[in-house]
Amino acid sequence: MFGNPEQIAAAMRQFADMLSAPQSAGPVNWDMAKNIARHAVVAEGDPSVMEGERRQIVDALSLADLWLNQVTTLPSGVTSPQAWSRSEWIEKTVPIWQKLCDPIAARMVETMGGSLGSAGLPAEAQAMAGPLMGMLKQMGGMMVGSQIGQALGTLAREVVGTTDIGLPLSDAAALLPGGIASFSEGLELPADEIRLYLALREAAHHRLFQHVPWLRAHLLGAVEEYAKGIKVDVSALEEQLRGLDVSNPEQLQQALTGGALLKPEETERQKAALARLETMLALVEGWVATVVDQAAEGKLPGAAALAETVRRRRASGGPAERTFGTLVGLELRPRRLREAAALWQAVEAARGLEGRDAVWGHPDLMPRADDLDDPESFVRGGVELDLSALDAERPPSAEKPESPEKPASPERPEDSEGDDR
């Protein structure tokens, strides 16, 4: 009659969290989201990090950072290596998730409140329902917060550090013993070797995020740009809300964790922003893979197998990528990691370590999406070569010096149009 007792208990616990959480100033009730995420990881088991585990991870991150000194000119980004439980990962990464999720959630909550409030109400009734609209928007924020909390709880059981999704979730380099144990399942390699390889990846990411000043803002800004042009499919959202059966715990759980409620309709603007974000994330991941492979060569016998495991996990759009899509409404497809790694290797072969890492000096120097298809063209290119090419293409009339009394030819509309042709 009452269904599965465990499902009912979980639904009642989420409902209690929604009622007890204080009203949030933003579109998402993050206190409630954190509580739901913590409940999710505790239900699966989340032991505290023991001192021995903490020491192993700190030592691995410190050693990995020393190895990276030999393969990159970027200075260390590991200042205070840490070991976290899954609950600590949730608590310490929520500020970044808030920056990522709030722009999209704000549009979704606004739409949910308007859709729920206007359904079936005449115009006069809608005009008198101002307080009701506010309450419905608050309920929409709770629904979105509940979904985000479930997604964070799922992601916390899968990540191994702070950089799994390619975005900087924390200023501190940290690894999760529980995440490393899950990653190691099925791998016939020594535990310390797996731990050290993952530490290399974590430390390499933090070198980029700490010492490339524009990178963090560039990546987070790309997500914000994606959110600005969101167009919500109101009819589909109304259909989702209309079809929910509040007495069915399984249906509620599926709606809150499946991403159906927080999924905007993708427009051309979103597709363009997503393409730029994917290219930059591929370049980050390709650079990390390149320096990690070089640092591990001759030191970790299983490095090649571990690198392939990571590539497959990233290229197949693993749980972390799918959960990220649930959280911020966009899917990351890291399918061009091999091309990005090949590009960095080609740049290093032509310009050396310093020349390769100098590309990160300014966003205008970074490769574009088409450069991933033709790395040699990017390697051959440069400011000097581009200027020479422009000189070579300049028409003969432009090479003759103009008389000071005469205006330059580009000021004449007919000449400008002729030059353009």
Side-chain angles (χ1 to χ4, degrees):
M1 176 178 178
F2 294 103
N4 188 313
E6 293 182 0
Q7 293 177 343
I8 292 179
M12 293 300 294
R13 183 172 60 245
Q14 290 186 29
F15 187 65
D17 286 337
M18 292 173 66
L19 292 179
S20 61
Q23 183 173 354
S24 174
V28 178
N29 194 317
W30 285 98
D31 290 332
M32 183 194 68
K34 286 192 293 185
N35 288 337
I36 291 176
R38 282 195 291 259
H39 282 143
V41 297
V42 170
E44 298 290 331
D46 182 32
S48 300
V49 177
M50 305 300 291
E51 178 58 27
E53 294 174 322
R54 189 193 69 81
R55 176 50 53 190
Q56 288 176 338
I57 286 178
V58 169
D59 290 345
L61 284 169
S62 300
L63 179 58
D65 208 37
L66 289 176
W67 287 2
L68 289 172
N69 287 336
Q70 304 172 11
V71 295
T72 176
T73 60
L74 294 179
S76 170
V78 178
T79 55
S80 56
Q82 300 176 21
W84 292 346
S85 66
R86 293 183 170 101
S87 295
E88 289 176 312
W89 181 90
I90 292 171
E91 187 70 30
K92 294 179 184 295
T93 61
V94 156
I96 298 299
W97 287 118
Q98 188 169 355
K99 291 182 180 179
L100 292 173
C101 297
D102 273 354
I104 294 177
R107 296 291 300 272
M108 298 301 297
V109 169
E110 186 75 20
T111 301
M112 290 171 68
S115 300
L116 286 171
S118 61
L121 292 178
E124 296 81 1
Q126 293 183 31
M128 299 173 60
L132 179 61
M133 296 301 101
M135 184 180 68
L136 289 174
K137 288 180 181 179
Q138 183 180 356
M139 289 298 297
M142 289 182 176
M143 294 175 67
V144 174
S146 179
Q147 179 176 328
I148 289 176
Q150 288 287 343
L152 279 178
T154 301
L155 186 57
R157 294 195 296 267
E158 302 162 357
V159 297
V160 300
T162 67
T163 58
D164 291 62
I165 64 171
L167 296 174
L169 297 179
S170 172
D171 290 333
L175 293 176
L176 283 68
I180 295 175
S182 298
F183 178 89
S184 303
E185 292 179 359
L187 299 179
E188 298 179 356
L189 292 171
D192 57 345
E193 192 170 331
I194 297 174
R195 186 188 310 112
L196 188 50
Y197 184 85
L198 295 176
L200 279 170
R201 289 182 51 81
E202 178 79 2
H205 275 101
H206 277 273
R207 290 206 176 209
L208 274 182
F209 295 141
Q210 295 293 337
H211 299 290
V212 179
W214 56 267
L215 181 57
R216 181 186 301 265
H218 187 86
L219 290 172
L220 298 180
V223 178
E224 293 178 2
E225 176 65 21
Y226 179 91
K228 286 180 181 177
I230 283 179
K231 180 181 178 182
V232 179
D233 188 346
V234 178
S235 60
L237 182 58
E238 289 179 348
E239 186 66 26
Q240 288 286 343
L241 295 173
R242 191 179 299 114
L244 285 180
D245 181 3
V246 295
S247 64
N248 187 336
E250 291 184 2
Q251 188 180 14
L252 285 174
Q253 184 79 359
Q254 183 178 1
L256 292 173
T257 59
L261 294 180
L262 185 60
K263 189 172 184 181
E265 180 184 359
E266 194 171 72
T267 64
E268 291 302 319
R269 182 174 180 178
Q270 272 69 60
K271 292 177 181 178
L274 180 58
R276 292 192 297 270
L277 180 61
E278 287 174 350
T279 299
M280 186 56 66
L281 288 175
L283 291 171
V284 169
E285 188 67 23
W287 184 89
V288 167
T290 298
V291 299
V292 166
D293 289 347
Q294 293 175 353
E297 186 177 2
K299 302 182 181 71
L300 297 179
L306 288 168
E308 185 61 27
T309 299
V310 170
R311 275 193 290 266
R312 289 179 179 178
R313 182 177 179 177
R314 294 283 284 164
S316 62
E321 284 77 18
R322 291 194 295 271
T323 305
F324 181 79
T326 300
L327 282 170
V328 300
L330 56 86
E331 296 287 348
L332 299 180
R333 295 166 296 170
R335 59 187 179 187
R336 308 204 69 186
L337 300 184
R338 292 183 185 273
E339 292 92 331
L343 184 145
W344 290 119
Q345 293 166 8
V347 174
E348 180 183 346
R351 307 179 188 176
L353 290 180
E354 292 186 2
R356 180 199 67 192
D357 295 344
V359 176
W360 293 101
H362 194 277
D364 291 344
L365 300 176
M366 294 298 296
R368 310 299 181 187
D370 52 354
D371 293 322
L372 298 179
D373 299 321
D374 188 7
E376 294 300 326
S377 176
F378 176 79
V379 172
R380 293 193 304 269
V383 176
E384 295 80 9
L385 291 180
D386 288 343
L387 291 177
S388 300
L390 290 175
D391 290 338
E393 295 175 0
R394 186 178 301 172
S397 59
E399 296 177 357
K400 299 178 181 180
E402 295 286 346
S403 172
E405 292 80 7
K406 296 181 180 179
S409 58
E411 294 182 3
R412 299 173 56 190
E414 59 273 16
D415 289 348
S416 297
E417 293 175 0
D419 290 345
D420 291 340
R421 289 194 298 271

